[in-house]
Amino acid sequence: MLYGISLYIMGSFILLLTGLSSFLFGMYFMMYDYVIFMDWEILTLNSCSVMMTFLFDWISLVFVGCVFIISSMVTYYSEMYMGSDMYKGRFYFLVLMFIMSMMMMIISPNLMSILIGWDGLGLVSYCLVIYFQNFKSYSAGMLTVLTNRIGDVAILLAIAWMMNFGSWHYIYYMNIWDDDWMIYLVLLVILAGFTKSAQIPFSSWLPAAMAAPTPVSALVHSSTLVTAGVYLLIRFSNLLQNINCSFFLLLSVMTMFMAGLGANFEYDLKKIIALSTLSQLGLMMSILFIGYPILAFFHLLTHAFFKALLFLCAGLMIHCMSDSQDIRHMGTMVNQLPFTCSCFCISNFSLCGLPFMAGFYSKDMILEMMSHSYFNFFIFFIFFVSVGLTVSYSTRLIYFCLSYNMNSFVFQNYYEEGIMMKSMILLSLLAIFSGSVLSWLMFKCPTLILFPFYLKVLPLIFVFLGGWLGYELAMIDFSNSLFYLRFYSFTYFSGFMWFMPMFSTYMVYSKFFLLSSSYDSVMDSGWGEYLISSGPLSYFVKMSKVLTWYQYNNVKVFMLLFIFMFMIIML
C-alpha cells in the first residue's frame, strides 16, 4: 500500500491511461502514415556503432496500446487474485518488468535493443513460472528458459551476422536482398521466432509454463511472451517474401493441428487454454508465411483480447474450486458464477470465430486469403480441420465446466469478487467489438474477394461441425469413459502433444550427458585443466621460487655474472 492506495490499482490505472493514449496515437499515425524514428548513439568503434533506437509507427503504437490495456486489467485482477500471497509486492514488480520488457521489444527497430527486451522476457518469465516454489514449477521453468535460450542464441548470431551489412536496424533491409548473406539472417530470425512462439519442434514449453500464477498466464498467452516471435517475424516479413517458406508453413500448420487435436483429450483447464493459444499462434505464423503479415498482426490483436479474458475467467473458476484445475471436478458452474460464465462463453465464442465476434473478423479473413493463395489441398484441409477442432474443444470445455457435469467438489466457496468482475467487463467488450473496429481502421479500402458459395460458407460449416464433435466428445466422457480406453494409443499420442515433451526433455539430454561427460574428461578435466587452469598457476609458482631465490642470493648472483662477463671479454 502507498498512501492508502494499492500498488496494483494505481499501476493498473496508469497502464490503462498509457495504453489508451498509445492506441489513439497509433490510430492517428495510421491515418496520416506518420512515423517517428529516434536514434541515440551510445558507442562508435571504427565503422561499428551501438545505438539505442525507438521506432514509433502505427504497428508498434497500436500493439503497445493493446499490451498495456490488457496488462492494466490483469494487474487490477491480480489485486484480488494474489491478495492472500505473502510476496504480492514482488509479484507486482515482476509483472511490471515483464510488461516493460515487451514494450522495449515492440518499439525497437534495432536488433541490439530488441535483444534487451527479448532477454528480459525470457528471464522474467522464468522467475514468474517458478513463482510457486515446488518441483513441478522448477521443472517447467527450466524447460521454458532453456528452450527460449535457443532463440536468444539465434538473435545473438543474427546480430553478429548483421556486421556483414553495416547496420542492426531491420528497417534498412526492407528492399535489399543479397542471396549469399541474407538467407542466413532470415533463417536465424525464423529460428528465434519459432522458439519464442513455441512452434514445432519447440512446442513443449508453452503448456509447461502454465505452472505460473493465472494472471501471468493471461499476460503470457495473450499479448506478451508468446506473441514476441510472431511480432518479430511480422517486422522482418519483407525479407520472408524472398525465400520459399513452404517448409515453415508446414511446421506452423502442423503446430495448429497438433494443438487443436491435443486440447480435445486434455482435462487440465489451463492446459486446454494453453493449447488453444498454441493453435492460434500456428494460425498467425501460417498466414504470415503465406504472405499476409498485416492479417497476422490483426489476428494477434483480436486474439490477445479474448484470450486474456478466457484466462481471467478460468482463474476465477480455479480460485472457486480450491485451486483444482481438473475440468472433471467442475460442473453446473453457471448457477454459481453467472457473470464469469457469461464472459467465459463470450471469449470462447470469439475464439471459435462465431460470426460478428472479434475472432470472426480475423479468422474469416485469414481462411479466405489462405483459400485464395496457391497452396496445395493438404494445407487447405488442415487449416479448415484446425478451425473445426478449435470449436470442438471449446464446446467440450463449456459442457464440462458450465453445464451437465455433476462431479463438482462439495463445500466450495463460490464467490464472484467485485474487482475480478470489473476487470472482465472491458475485456468482454473488447472481445466482442475489437475485431470489427480494428478491421475498419486497419483496412480502410475494402477488398472484394469473390468465391463460390460453397467456399464462402465452408468456414461456417466447419465451425458447426466442430461444435457438434465437441458436444459428442463431452457426451462420451459423461456416459462412457471406457470409450477412450478402446482408442488408448491414439488418445495418449494426441493428448501428449505427439510425445514432444519427451523429445524436449530426457530423450534429448540423456544423449547429451554422454557427450558432455566425454568433453569434460577430455577438455575441462584433461588438457583444459592442465594447460589453462593448472598451467599458469604452476608456471607462476616456479617463477616466484626463482625470484625468491634471487632476492636471497642477489650479491652472489651479481658476483658470478661479473666474473662470467669479465671472462668473456678477456677471451
Side-chain angles (χ1 to χ4, degrees), residues 317 331-334 341 344-345 397-404:
M317 288 177 179
T332 59
M333 290 184 88
V334 73
C341 291
F344 189 74
C345 286
L397 195 58
I398 286 172
Y399 264 92
F400 258 99
C401 297
L402 314 187
S403 94
Y404 296 154

Side-chain angles (χ1 to χ4, degrees), residues 347-517:
S347 53
N348 257 319
F349 287 153
S350 193
L351 168 66
C352 295
L354 203 74
F356 313 115
M357 304 289 279
F360 167 74
Y361 288 90
S362 52
K363 272 193 156 183
D364 191 60
M365 205 182 296
I366 284 172
L367 284 168
E368 288 185 349
M369 296 315 287
M370 184 276 308
S371 307
H372 204 261
S373 64
Y374 296 98
F375 280 95
N376 57 22
F377 180 74
F378 177 77
I379 299 290
F380 181 86
F381 179 73
I382 294 289
F383 247 90
F384 278 97
V385 168
S386 301
V387 167
L389 288 171
T390 302
V391 187
S392 167
Y393 63 71
S394 302
T395 312
R396 175 174 172 265
L397 195 58
I398 286 172
Y399 264 92
F400 258 99
C401 297
L402 314 187
S403 94
Y404 296 154
N405 188 9
M406 288 299 197
N407 295 338
S408 51
F409 278 172
V410 289
F411 303 122
Q412 290 309 312
N413 180 20
Y414 290 109
Y415 175 58
E416 289 189 312
E417 222 292 320
I419 285 178
M420 289 183 173
M421 285 167 68
K422 283 175 198 164
S423 63
M424 291 175 201
I425 293 169
L426 178 62
L427 288 174
S428 299
L429 292 171
L430 287 168
I432 298 167
F433 298 115
S434 64
S436 52
V437 172
L438 283 168
S439 68
W440 296 331
L441 290 168
M442 288 170 68
F443 307 107
K444 295 185 282 291
C445 305
T447 308
L448 188 65
I449 307 169
L450 287 173
F451 281 130
F453 179 73
Y454 72 90
L455 211 53
K456 197 72 176 170
V457 297
L458 205 57
L460 279 179
I461 291 167
F462 270 90
V463 163
F464 291 122
L465 278 174
W468 171 74
L469 176 65
Y471 173 78
E472 290 294 336
L473 283 171
M475 290 304 106
I476 287 167
D477 283 355
F478 295 143
S479 59
N480 181 13
S481 56
L482 293 174
F483 173 81
Y484 282 130
L485 293 177
R486 288 170 58 197
F487 302 102
Y488 184 73
S489 301
F490 173 71
T491 52
Y492 184 70
F493 175 70
S494 302
F496 204 55
M497 293 178 67
W498 298 355
F499 304 141
M500 218 167 295
M502 291 162 69
F503 284 116
S504 303
T505 51
Y506 54 84
M507 286 186 78
V508 171
Y509 65 64
S510 57
K511 298 287 181 285
F512 278 97
F513 271 157
L514 293 171
L515 185 67
S516 59
S517 65

